[in-house]
């Protein structure tokens, strides 16, 4: 999505690149079958009993009816009309399973909601290889409607028993779960699962409950989910886990990171409880008028809090239509994969954080299609390398212009220094003469900065693309067994603040590449920048940055996904290669100097910008002289 936030580590990573650029330029349960078997067994026993002792059987049947009547009367005291549901055969802790090639969903009679959701094609991190991704299990999720009856009772559907009816139409599975208040009065959840889908159609419908429920105000839908950790680094996974939602006719927003965050969107059309690479999403065709969304961070200490990442809660009022509930919804249990989500044509792909504005456009229209094409016929590690090479080649004209500008400024440095010495006591005059020199020589001092700044969106887009690239998950390359996680080569017996308790190799290689690149270019960059009075010495700053930038890369990329670190390593190597080629074959200081001298002899027409700048300087100079005379 076009995201509007920067988490701390992203800001640091982005800041690092910015500084460098600027300075360098299964359990199936068929309840229907069980019911039929139990019914057949009961009928058989009843027939046998009638044949032997008809009078005794008649008495027993009467006694049972009396007992049931007493049971209903007792339940009536607490459940009201819905006591009828507690006397049905389904009032047991049984389950019904819906499954296709992608998902296995277990729906409980009690509550009528999904109590187990397994993704059949994905495993947890390599350490637990063979263990499938379980988005819902062991009561980590609940789904409840808080019913308000006309006799002022408050009932929770999660505590009541639904009657299941499973039917199959071809490969489609339809499960009706009815919470009955009578033979023809009920609340129904209907699930429809088709083949080859991660989504399940989910309808909520009531019939004949106008005399039972208080329809004067909405019913609260309460949905909770405590998300399990599924990736190698819980802190890295937790950084990308949060609630997203679509509201107000297509706007995508999020609750945000933090210990306790809350949002209250209006006209919401989907609510996504997102983990890093997997999501549970509730979609609705009838927008929710309002919703209260809450996210709580459960990872206070990533050494101790290693099971869960976030606690999500949603409270959504459901309005009645003509005294009944009628909502057409969908559940999505599946990967947070941009391509899969986009195929549903519900804007779900926007929960993938690709960056806001131009960064998101670069990812959607360049990075995703290009990397998708490359990875379709080669290994993912090789695809990253080829992807990086193509991006750097495409950017090479900009790199060339930046280096050429630096070379021109380097040639002019002696003359600029001379002007500085000559007008040392008159900064305004010095600035005017410097601008004249630039104009005569045909040199734009901003020409080196602008090409470098153009590359920044591509740098930041890579910070968003690689952590969000689902296809990299559990794909290995060289010593890295998972390109979506860090490439640990050594486990430390202690924890280093900011760095961590392990050593990753790709960040080390990237840091070394940055060091040599800066070492090779720092002199040229310093020489290309004219020294300004009152400003720190550029040469000294560049010497410091040569050592600071690699250390920052080493520290803050140590726990990032190795795919991103690999990209940065290859990117720096290619930049060094391009720089050497440009310097050796395209840039000749003598020729540049001769061209500048020739430019000085030509009559130059001032651009509107240059004219405006000159006039402003002249006016400032005139005002200064006037003030001096008054003194």
């Amino acid at each position: 999505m076009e995201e509007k936030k920067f988490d701390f580590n992203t800001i640091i990573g982005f800041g690092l690149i910015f500084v460098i650029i600027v300075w360098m330029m299964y359990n199936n349960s068929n309840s229907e079958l069980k019911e039929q078997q139990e019914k057949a067994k009961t009928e058989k026993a009843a027939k046998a009993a009638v044949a032997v002792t008809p009078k005794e059987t008649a008495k027993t049947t009467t006694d049972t009816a009396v007992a049931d009547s007493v049971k209903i009367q007792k339940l009536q005291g607490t459940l009201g009309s819905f006591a009828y549901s507690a006397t049905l055969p389904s009032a047991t802790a049984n389950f019904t399973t819906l499954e296709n090639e992608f998902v296995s969903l277990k729906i409980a009679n009690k509550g009528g909601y999904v109590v187990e959701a397994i993704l059949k094609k994905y495993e947890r991190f390599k350490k637990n290889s063979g263990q499938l991704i379980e988005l819902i299990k062991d009561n980590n999720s609940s789904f409840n409607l808080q019913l308000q009856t006309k006799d002022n009772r408050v009932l929770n559907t999660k505590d009541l028993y639904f009657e299941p009816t499973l039917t199959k139409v071809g490969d489609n599975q339809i499960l009706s779960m009815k919470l009955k208040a009578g033979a023809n009065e009920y609340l129904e959840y209907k699930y429809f699962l088709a083949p080859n889908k991660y989504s399940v159609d989910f309808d909520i419908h009531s019939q004949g409950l106008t005399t039972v429920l208080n329809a004067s105000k909405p019913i609260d839908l309460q949905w909770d989910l405590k998300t399990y950790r599924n990736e190698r680094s819980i802190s890295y996974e937790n950084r990308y886990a949060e609630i997203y939602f679509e509201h107000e006719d297509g706007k995508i927003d999020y609750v945000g990171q933090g210990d306790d965050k809350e949002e209250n969107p209006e006209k919401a059309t989907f609510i996504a409880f997102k983990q890093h690479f997997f999501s549970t999403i509730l979609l609705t065709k009838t927008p929710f008028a309002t919703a209260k969304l809450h996210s709580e961070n459960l990872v206070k200490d990533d050494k101790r809090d290693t099971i869960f990442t976030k606690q999500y809660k949603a409270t959504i009022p459901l309005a009645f239509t003509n005294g009944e509930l009628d909502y057409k919804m969908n559940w999505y249990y599946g990967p947070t994969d941009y391509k899969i989500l986009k195929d549903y044509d519900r804007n779900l792909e926007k929960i993938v954080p690709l960056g806001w504005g131009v960064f998101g456009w670069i990812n959607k229209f360049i990075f995703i299609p290009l990397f998708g094409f490359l990875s379709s016929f080669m290994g993912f590690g090789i695809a990253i390398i080829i992807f990086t090479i193509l991006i750097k080649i495409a950017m090479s004209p900009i790199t060339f212009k930046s280096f050429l500008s630096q070379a021109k400024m380097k040639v002019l440095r002696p003359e600029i220094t001379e002007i500085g010495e000559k007008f040392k006591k008159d900064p305004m005059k010095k600035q005017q003469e410097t601008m004249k020199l630039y104009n005569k020589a045909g040199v734009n001092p901003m020409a080196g900065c602008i090409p470098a700044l153009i590359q920044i969106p591509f740098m930041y887009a890579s910070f968003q693309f690689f952590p969000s690239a689902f296809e990299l998950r559990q794909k290995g390359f060289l010593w890295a067994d998972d390109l979506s996680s860090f490439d640990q080569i050594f486990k430390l017996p202690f924890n280093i603040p900011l760095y961590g308790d392990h050593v990753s190799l790709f960040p080390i290689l990237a840091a070394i590449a940055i060091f040599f690149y800066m070492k090779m270019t720092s002199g040229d960059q310093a020489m290309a920048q004219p020294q300004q009075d009152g400003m720190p010495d550029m040469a000294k700053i560049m010497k410091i940055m040569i050592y600071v930038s690699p250390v920052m890369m080493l520290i803050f990329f140590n726990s990032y996904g190795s795919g991103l670190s690999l990209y940065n390593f290859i990117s720096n190597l290619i930049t060094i290669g391009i720089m050497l080629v440009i310097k050796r074959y395209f840039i000749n200081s003598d020729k540049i100097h001769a061209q500048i001298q020739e430019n000085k002899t030509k009559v130059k027409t001032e651009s509107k910008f240059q004219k405006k700048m000159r006039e402003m300087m002249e006016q400032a100079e005139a005002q200064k002289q006037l003030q001096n005379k008054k003194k």
Side-chain angles (χ1 to χ4, degrees):
M1 69 170 279
E2 296 183 2
E3 196 178 25
K4 302 176 289 185
K5 65 173 185 180
F6 295 87
D7 63 71
F8 177 72
N9 289 282
T10 297
I11 293 175
I12 293 173
F14 178 46
L16 169 61
I17 297 303
F18 182 82
V19 168
I20 293 172
I21 290 297
V22 169
W23 293 115
M24 298 182 353
M25 304 297 41
Y26 183 80
N27 288 322
N28 287 329
S29 173
N30 192 327
S31 55
E32 184 180 9
L33 180 59
K34 281 190 175 183
E35 243 181 81
Q36 293 172 354
Q37 291 174 341
E38 290 293 332
K39 186 176 180 181
K41 185 177 179 181
T42 303
E43 289 176 352
K44 184 178 180 180
K47 288 179 181 179
V50 168
V52 180
T53 55
K55 292 183 179 180
E56 184 177 345
T57 302
K59 181 179 179 181
T60 302
T61 303
T62 302
D63 290 344
T64 301
V66 171
D68 286 347
S69 177
V70 171
K71 181 179 178 182
I72 293 173
Q73 289 175 6
K74 288 181 179 179
L75 289 168
Q76 195 75 32
T78 57
L79 303 182
S81 298
F82 286 101
Y84 182 87
S85 67
T87 66
L88 297 172
S90 62
T92 58
N94 287 337
F95 309 92
T96 304
T97 299
L98 300 177
E99 66 177 320
N100 59 18
E101 299 84 349
F102 293 168
V103 297
S104 176
L105 307 176
K106 185 183 289 186
I107 297 93
N109 289 355
K110 186 176 182 180
Y113 62 91
V114 176
V115 294
E116 183 177 277
I118 300 174
L119 303 185
K120 300 167 73 172
K121 292 185 174 292
Y122 302 104
E123 297 180 2
R124 296 186 70 209
F125 53 96
K126 288 290 186 178
K127 186 177 180 181
N128 294 288
S129 182
Q131 183 179 354
L132 296 175
I133 294 291
E134 297 173 285
L135 297 180
I136 300 176
K137 67 170 183 175
D138 299 337
N139 300 313
N140 73 314
S141 178
S142 70
F143 183 87
N144 178 59
L145 295 187
Q146 197 169 75
L147 308 177
Q148 299 186 36
T149 66
K150 288 196 170 183
D151 54 356
N152 296 320
R153 304 171 191 267
V154 176
L155 304 176
N156 294 300
T157 59
K158 66 180 181 180
D159 301 323
L160 304 177
Y161 290 91
F162 288 67
E163 183 175 23
T165 302
L166 177 63
T167 57
K168 293 185 178 181
V169 180
D171 292 328
N172 301 316
Q173 302 164 67
I174 305 171
L175 176 63
S176 169
M177 304 291 292
K178 291 183 179 180
L179 175 63
K180 294 188 173 182
N184 296 306
E185 297 85 34
Y186 56 83
L187 170 70
E188 180 183 32
Y189 295 164
K190 183 175 284 187
Y191 300 86
F192 180 94
L193 179 63
N196 301 312
K197 284 183 174 291
Y198 290 102
S199 66
V200 186
D201 292 347
F202 176 65
D203 299 344
I204 296 180
H205 172 72
S206 67
Q207 178 176 303
L209 297 183
T210 53
T211 59
V212 178
L213 299 180
N214 180 2
S216 63
K217 55 183 179 179
I219 286 177
D220 278 346
L221 183 160
Q222 300 167 338
W223 174 34
D224 301 344
L225 179 64
K226 196 173 182 180
T227 57
Y228 281 104
R229 171 224 191 144
N230 290 309
E231 310 305 328
R232 186 176 187 178
S233 172
I234 192 170
S235 59
Y236 189 60
E237 176 181 9
N238 196 41
R239 188 181 306 162
Y240 296 94
E242 58 186 311
I243 302 177
Y244 281 83
F245 54 91
E246 182 185 53
H247 66 125
E248 297 179 355
D249 301 322
K251 295 181 182 177
I252 306 296
D253 213 331
Y254 51 90
V255 172
Q257 297 284 349
D259 291 338
D260 286 283
K261 293 291 183 178
E262 188 173 297
E263 287 288 338
N264 298 278
E266 297 181 353
K267 298 180 180 179
T269 47
F270 74 69
I271 296 168
F273 288 175
K274 177 183 174 294
Q275 297 167 247
H276 187 182
F277 287 125
F278 301 96
S279 295
T280 304
I281 308 174
L282 178 62
L283 305 94
T284 178
K285 293 183 179 178
T286 304
F288 301 130
T290 61
K292 179 179 179 180
L293 309 178
H294 182 264
S295 174
E296 178 186 354
N297 178 34
L298 301 179
V299 183
K300 313 295 184 182
D301 182 344
D302 58 9
K303 302 303 175 187
R304 185 185 64 233
D305 305 325
T306 60
I307 299 177
F308 300 100
T309 58
K310 292 288 198 310
Q311 173 69 65
Y312 296 140
K313 294 182 180 181
T315 302
I316 307 165
L318 300 183
F320 287 88
T321 302
N322 298 323
E324 301 288 0
L325 288 173
D326 190 14
Y327 277 83
K328 304 291 184 182
M329 299 188 284
N330 309 87
W331 286 108
Y332 175 87
Y333 303 96
T336 313
D337 185 317
Y338 184 87
K339 295 175 183 177
I340 292 176
L341 293 171
K342 189 174 178 63
D343 286 343
Y344 285 93
D345 197 24
R346 293 289 299 271
N347 277 343
L348 297 180
E349 73 277 5
K350 291 184 178 180
I351 73 171
V352 179
L354 298 178
W356 54 273
V358 66
F359 312 121
W361 301 339
I362 291 171
N363 276 323
K364 285 189 288 186
F365 301 121
I366 300 176
F367 283 12
I368 290 177
L370 177 59
F371 188 75
F373 170 72
L374 294 173
S375 61
S376 66
F377 61 88
M378 63 178 67
F380 286 90
I382 299 298
I384 291 176
I385 294 174
I386 302 301
F387 170 85
T388 311
I389 292 172
L390 293 176
I391 294 295
K392 297 304 291 186
I393 290 175
M395 301 294 290
S396 60
I398 297 175
T399 305
F400 174 75
K401 288 184 178 181
S402 180
F403 287 152
L404 181 60
S405 177
Q406 289 178 18
K408 289 180 178 180
M409 293 294 292
K410 183 179 177 181
V411 170
L412 285 177
R413 178 66 182 244
E415 296 182 55
I416 294 172
T417 302
E418 185 180 341
I419 292 173
E421 290 295 327
K422 184 176 180 180
F423 301 100
K424 189 182 238 181
K425 296 181 180 180
D426 192 346
M428 185 65 68
K429 187 66 175 177
K430 183 178 76 171
Q431 190 68 24
Q432 289 175 340
E433 293 300 317
T434 302
M435 292 297 293
K436 287 181 181 178
L437 175 62
Y438 288 151
N439 186 39
K440 288 181 179 180
V443 175
N444 183 352
M446 296 300 294
C449 296
I450 295 175
L453 291 172
I454 292 174
Q455 298 182 65
I456 290 178
F458 288 85
M459 294 293 182
Y460 180 71
S462 70
F463 277 83
Q464 297 296 105
F465 172 72
F466 286 99
S468 301
F470 182 86
E471 53 265 53
L472 294 181
R473 185 178 184 270
Q474 296 187 354
K475 301 300 190 300
F477 179 64
L478 299 177
W479 57 85
D481 57 6
D482 187 347
L483 286 167
S484 71
S485 186
F486 54 83
D487 57 313
Q488 174 180 310
I489 59 168
F490 183 71
K491 179 76 172 177
L492 298 174
F494 48 84
N495 183 71
I496 302 175
L498 297 178
Y499 186 73
D501 61 355
H502 64 274
V503 175
S504 298
L505 184 53
F506 278 130
I508 295 175
L509 296 176
I512 293 173
I514 283 180
F515 174 78
F516 282 106
Y517 170 69
M518 296 195 71
K519 192 78 172 173
M520 295 167 65
T521 60
S522 59
D524 289 345
Q525 291 173 349
M527 290 293 289
Q529 300 297 325
Q531 183 63 34
Q532 301 289 335
D533 293 337
M535 296 296 288
D537 189 348
M538 179 61 69
K540 292 181 179 179
I541 293 176
M542 292 309 300
K543 286 180 180 179
I544 294 172
M545 291 304 299
I546 290 172
Y547 300 98
V548 172
S549 298
V551 171
M552 292 175 65
M553 170 69 76
L554 192 64
I555 292 175
F556 296 111
F557 278 70
N558 191 57
S559 294
Y560 266 74
S562 53
L564 179 59
S565 298
L566 172 61
Y567 171 83
N568 279 282
F569 169 53
I570 299 301
S571 178
N572 291 322
L573 284 182
I574 296 170
T575 303
I576 291 173
I578 291 174
M579 179 197 70
L580 292 173
V581 170
I582 291 174
K583 278 190 169 186
R584 184 179 180 91
Y585 298 104
F586 296 97
I587 294 180
N588 185 301
S589 297
D590 294 336
K591 288 183 179 180
I592 291 173
H593 183 268
Q595 183 64 53
I596 289 176
Q597 298 308 316
E598 182 182 343
N599 290 342
K600 288 181 181 180
T601 64
K602 297 178 181 178
V603 177
K604 292 285 184 178
T605 303
E606 282 185 313
S607 67
K608 291 182 179 181
F609 175 76
Q610 290 172 328
K611 183 178 179 181
K612 188 69 174 176
M613 288 295 294
R614 179 178 56 78
E615 290 174 349
M616 289 174 62
M617 289 181 184
E618 289 175 351
Q619 289 174 6
E621 182 66 21
Q623 287 180 350
K624 181 180 178 181
Q625 291 176 0
L626 183 60
Q627 289 174 355
N628 290 335
K629 287 181 180 180
K630 288 181 179 180
K631 291 180 180 179

